[in-house]
Amino acid sequence: MALKEVLKQKIEEFRPHIQHLIKEHGKVVIDQVTIDQAIGGARDVHCLVTDISYLDPQEGIRFRGKTIPETFAALPKAPGSKYPTVESFWYFLLTGDVPTQAEVDEVLAEWKVRQYVPSYVWDVIRGMPRDSHPMAMLSVGLLAMQRDSKFAHYYSSGKFNKMTAWEYTYEDAFDIIARIPIIAAFIYNLKYRSDFQNRIGKLDMGANFAEMIGQCEEYKDVARMYFILHSDHESGNVSAHTTHLVNSALSDPYYAYSAGLNGLAGPLHGLANQEVLDWTIKFKQKYCGAAEPTKELVTMALWDTLKAGQVVPGYGHAVLRKTDPRYMSQREFCLATPGLKDDPLFKLVSMIFEVAPGVLKEHGKAKNPWPNVDAQSGVIQWYYGLREWDFYTVLFGVGRSLGCMANITWDRALGYALERPKSVTVSMLEKWGDEGGRPEIIAKAPTLTNV
Ligand code: CMX
């Protein structure tokens, strides 16, 4: 059965769960909010719903219930590769089912049809100053295609129906994930090379991307692994949450993911992969000169960064409390790749991994002293010759499109509401602080006082 039909069946089966929850358990309390959470970025407030992935602080990410190794093991592989195709992963993220090879082939064929990028997008990006950040180019390139949104056309047709709106979101979502690697490759070539060709051959997305940016055979697996690992990290992170929030206003997927990309471009989020490379290269220049890096020099550089009031990029996480399994997965790739495992930059990144958690623990601020996905990803790109590190977040953005697009397809399918939390003023907080809580809450639920 075609992907959209499978999805339709799943959605119809799943909708009663939401109706039942609202009707039977709508008023059941699942969380409470303290003053430091309200001021501190809503950490750990349980108020978002997604079934695409779940992030456990200790275990790390599960995509549709599967850990990263389980996901890689379960999905059909690209021809001659140990890694699954991104196409098979897209099917899995959307439906929760492991596709057969025939189903993957169907997705791949559809992907090819959808990957045509209108030529005005190239004009828009070419019209930007060449030193614009590649993330700005990606966001603008995507937004330029908004006129193609099937959801927006459907909405303005006057026939809009909440029950079928997801079908148009799905159409846009699939178009976006097929087109975004092509735009990313165009940007790469425009900024750093000069021979862009939009290849619509038979190759899967990862392999096609590798060819479009002039990469070697081995890089095809790097691209597959990278896009899958960066796809989704439940829905509270800035890029996923922004996409969900903007889409909740029924802004179409082009508006929504362009906004999500703008959030990903922040140094506390996706830009950290560029910052890691920047930090590491500057460390070598400033602290080592011609000498080999040592643990003592790394320790000194980490303390200098912290004493200057800066964060150590690639370390810490808002939810995770252990080494990010996405870090480990990339590390295992490095260790299993002859050449890469002996690469000086990989050895230095490994040395930072040995030293930084101890320094961060001693510093005593970061709740999680362990590395996140961004601490390891740049070194792989660097090894394969992709040394323009301001491009690394674009790669993250290509991968993240899979999760964000799967999420908003389901958001519309399940009719999730316009997101609109309530704000308060500082003087209200001061008053409630003195009184031991907000009076209405204390009155309604005495068990929630003094939390
Ligand atoms: N280096 C130095 N200080 C750090 C730190 C780090 N790597 N991680 C956290 N801290 C500090 C915070 O800045 C905060 O300090 P203040 O109290 O002065 O504000 C304190 O420790 C407590 O922060 P936390 O609760 O542990 O972490 P948050 O949830 O506030 O922030 C994150 C999470 C990722 C933004 C933070 O760990 C960080 O800035 N890391 C470095 C940037 C990075 O790698 N970002 C990528 C994350 C993954 C991704 O989204 O791609």
Side-chain angles (χ1 to χ4, degrees), residues 253-284:
Y254 291 88
Y255 282 124
Y257 194 52
S258 177
L261 285 170
N262 300 341
L264 190 69
L268 296 188
H269 189 18
L271 203 80
N273 59 10
Q274 131 173 3
E275 299 294 285
V276 167
L277 248 284
D278 192 58
W279 189 93
T280 312
I281 299 295
K282 283 187 182 143
F283 157 75
K284 277 186 81 175

Side-chain angles (χ1 to χ4, degrees), residues 102-258:
E103 285 164 337
V104 176
D105 292 344
E106 262 186 59
V107 173
L108 204 141
E110 206 179 330
W111 200 294
K112 294 287 162 197
V113 175
R114 292 173 183 271
Q115 95 187 145
Y116 169 76
V117 177
S119 60
Y120 62 79
V121 174
W122 310 143
D123 297 338
V124 169
I125 297 174
R126 274 201 200 95
M128 295 174 79
R130 203 53 55 87
D131 62 355
S132 301
H133 195 280
M135 280 300 279
M137 289 179 158
L138 188 67
S139 177
V140 166
L142 178 64
L143 193 58
M145 295 191 296
Q146 186 280 332
R147 64 183 285 285
D148 285 4
S149 168
K150 292 162 184 159
F151 181 92
H153 287 296
Y154 175 59
Y155 189 83
S156 57
S157 70
K159 296 181 193 141
F160 185 81
N161 176 333
K162 250 182 122 174
M163 297 303 277
T164 48
W166 74 267
E167 297 194 32
Y168 300 86
T169 303
Y170 167 88
E171 294 296 333
D172 283 351
F174 207 154
D175 286 346
I176 287 173
I177 58 161
R179 290 168 171 194
I180 210 163
I182 313 289
I183 302 176
F186 175 81
I187 294 167
Y188 184 75
N189 284 287
L190 181 74
K191 277 184 79 86
Y192 318 114
R193 296 172 79 235
S194 54
D195 64 347
F196 174 69
Q197 283 180 41
N198 181 357
R199 294 169 212 259
I200 312 221
K202 291 197 169 120
L203 295 176
D204 64 277
M205 173 190 165
N208 199 38
F209 182 76
E211 292 216 340
M212 284 189 298
I213 61 166
Q215 271 291 346
C216 63
E217 198 56 33
E218 264 182 58
Y219 188 89
K220 292 176 178 172
D221 272 347
V222 173
R224 292 172 187 127
M225 171 186 70
Y226 200 95
F227 295 145
I228 292 173
L229 286 182
H230 288 80
S231 61
D232 207 34
H233 220 219
E234 68 171 39
S235 54
N237 64 79
V238 171
S239 51
H241 188 200
T242 307
T243 307
H244 164 82
L245 169 69
V246 175
N247 186 247
S248 82
L250 300 187
S251 301
D252 64 57
Y254 291 88
Y255 282 124
Y257 194 52
S258 177

Side-chain angles (χ1 to χ4, degrees), residues 421-441:
K422 180 78 189 81
S423 58
V424 294
T425 65
V426 170
S427 59
M428 287 173 178
L429 289 181
E430 284 169 342
K431 183 169 175 285
W432 297 335
D434 288 342
E435 290 169 358
R438 183 154 76 92
E440 301 92 301
I441 296 295

Side-chain angles (χ1 to χ4, degrees), residues 404-425:
C404 290
M405 292 300 100
N407 267 293
I408 61 172
T409 301
W410 273 94
D411 285 351
R412 294 285 62 76
L414 300 176
Y416 288 160
L418 172 78
E419 192 176 308
R420 206 318 186 174
K422 180 78 189 81
S423 58
V424 294
T425 65

